[in-house]
Amino acid sequence: MEQKILLVDDRPEAAEASIISLENFVKKENIVYVDHAAKAMEILEHTDFGVVFLDIDMPETSGFGLAAYLEENFQNVPYVFLTGYADFALESYEYNPVDFLTKPVTKERLKKTFEKLDKKSESRDKEQIMIKSGQDYIAVCPEEIQYISKEKRKIFIHLNDKEYQVHTTLDELEKIFEDYGLFRCHQSFLIPLKKIVQVNPSRFGQTYEAVLKNQIVVPVSRNKYSLLKEKLKQIGVLVLK
C-alpha cells in the first residue's frame, strides 16, 4: 500500500507495537501517528490518507467519536478499529469499519485487513458517476478518466476509448472527482494523480507539464506545482526538479 496511514492511539507503547506490524505492509515514513482524536481531525484537513487505524478507548473523543467524524466529513476514507478490548466489537458495528482488530495485532491478521482494503478500493474504482451530457446522463467510471479539459466554453471528459462533452462546470467536476484522485493542475484541466508518469518544466521554463499514461501532456500552472508535488508524495510518487 503506497498511500499514507493514520494511526490514532493514546498509548505510545501500544502504537509502537502496531507500527512494527504495519511496517510489513507500508513504509514507515508513510505511517503518521497521533495520540489523540483532536490532532487526527486537524491533520485530516490537509493530508490524504488511504486508511485510518483507530484506537477505541481514548480520553475526550473516543475512536467511535472519531469514526462518526470520518463518516460525516471524510466518507471516502476507510477506517479500522484497533483496540485492546474485544468487548467493544459489538458496539463497533453500529459504525462502518473495514475491520475490527484487537491488540497486539499479528502480521497474519493484518494481512487479512489489507486484503479487505484492497477489495474495497477495487470496488470503488468500478463506481460510476452520472454526469449530464446533452439531454441525457452518462455513467462515468472515475478509473477510466484520462483527463478532463475546458476548451473555450466547452467541457470534455476524456475516457480510455471515448470522450464526452458535458454540461457541468470544471469547478463542479473538481468537487465531484477530488475524492477519486483527480487534481486541478491548471484552470482548464483536471488529471488523475495515479496516471501521472512524470512532471517536467515546460520548454520556456515558466510553467510545467504533466506527462500522463499514453503520453498525454497536460499543462501544470506554476501556482499548482507545489501542491501537485505534495499530492504525489502522499501516494508514494517522487517528483524530481
Side-chain angles (χ1 to χ4, degrees):
M1 185 175 189
E2 293 183 343
Q3 290 182 303
K4 286 184 179 292
I5 288 176
L6 178 60
L7 172 63
V8 189
D9 194 326
D10 67 317
R11 295 178 57 207
E13 66 279 8
E16 184 58 35
S18 297
I19 289 171
I20 291 171
S21 295
L22 286 167
E23 284 183 87
N24 289 290
F25 303 93
V26 64
K27 296 177 181 177
K28 187 170 184 177
E29 56 265 32
N30 285 340
I31 302 172
V32 177
Y33 165 62
V34 296
D35 61 3
H36 58 280
K39 181 63 177 178
M41 293 176 184
E42 178 185 335
I43 200 169
L44 279 161
E45 292 294 334
H46 57 77
T47 305
D48 294 330
F49 291 98
V51 59
V52 180
F53 284 81
L54 300 174
D55 182 31
I56 293 177
D57 188 22
M58 295 189 294
E60 297 181 8
T61 302
S62 71
F64 291 141
L66 186 50
Y69 175 81
L70 285 168
E71 291 186 357
E72 182 176 352
N73 298 280
F74 300 92
Q75 297 94 335
N76 296 305
V77 179
Y79 60 89
V80 175
F81 283 131
L82 181 63
T83 182
Y85 303 97
D87 292 345
F88 281 126
L90 183 61
E91 187 179 352
S92 76
Y93 287 103
E94 295 181 10
Y95 299 89
N96 189 32
V98 172
D99 209 348
F100 180 96
L101 303 175
T102 53
K103 296 182 284 188
V105 184
T106 65
K107 176 182 177 181
E108 292 71 23
R109 183 61 182 85
L110 260 182
K111 181 180 179 182
K112 293 180 180 179
T113 299
F114 279 95
E115 287 172 351
K116 290 181 180 181
L117 286 165
D118 287 341
K119 288 179 181 179
K120 186 176 181 70
S121 177
E122 289 172 5
S123 174
R124 180 171 173 75
D125 286 343
K126 295 176 182 177
E127 187 175 340
Q128 293 185 325
I129 307 296
M130 302 304 294
I131 304 292
K132 189 172 183 181
S133 176
Q135 298 301 312
D136 302 315
Y137 281 84
I138 58 171
V140 175
C141 177
E143 187 69 11
E144 294 183 1
I145 296 175
Q146 293 290 335
Y147 63 99
I148 300 175
S149 63
K150 179 179 179 181
E151 302 170 24
K152 295 183 178 179
R153 296 186 177 181
K154 298 178 180 179
I155 307 295
F156 295 91
I157 297 180
H158 304 264
L159 304 177
N160 290 339
D161 57 356
K162 65 189 75 172
E163 68 177 44
Y164 293 103
Q165 181 182 346
V166 297
H167 299 287
T168 307
T169 69
L170 208 59
D171 288 343
E172 291 171 332
L173 291 173
E174 181 180 8
K175 292 178 182 178
I176 291 170
F177 289 112
E178 64 181 349
D179 288 334
Y180 296 87
L182 268 73
F183 177 75
R184 184 79 171 266
C185 65
H186 184 277
Q187 63 180 358
S188 299
F189 289 92
L190 287 169
I191 57 177
L193 292 169
K194 291 195 298 185
K195 294 185 179 178
I196 296 176
V197 176
Q198 63 188 59
V199 180
N200 305 316
S202 67
R203 286 186 302 167
F204 302 105
Q206 297 299 313
T207 58
Y208 299 87
E209 296 175 337
V211 181
L212 310 180
K213 292 179 180 178
N214 299 330
Q215 297 303 302
I216 297 167
V217 179
V218 176
V220 177
S221 301
R222 291 185 67 186
N223 63 344
K224 294 284 188 175
Y225 178 64
S226 295
L227 181 56
L228 175 59
K229 283 201 302 181
E230 181 60 30
K231 291 286 186 182
L232 291 174
K233 182 180 177 182
Q234 289 171 6
I235 63 171
V237 178
L238 179 64
V239 178
L240 301 175
K241 288 187 177 181

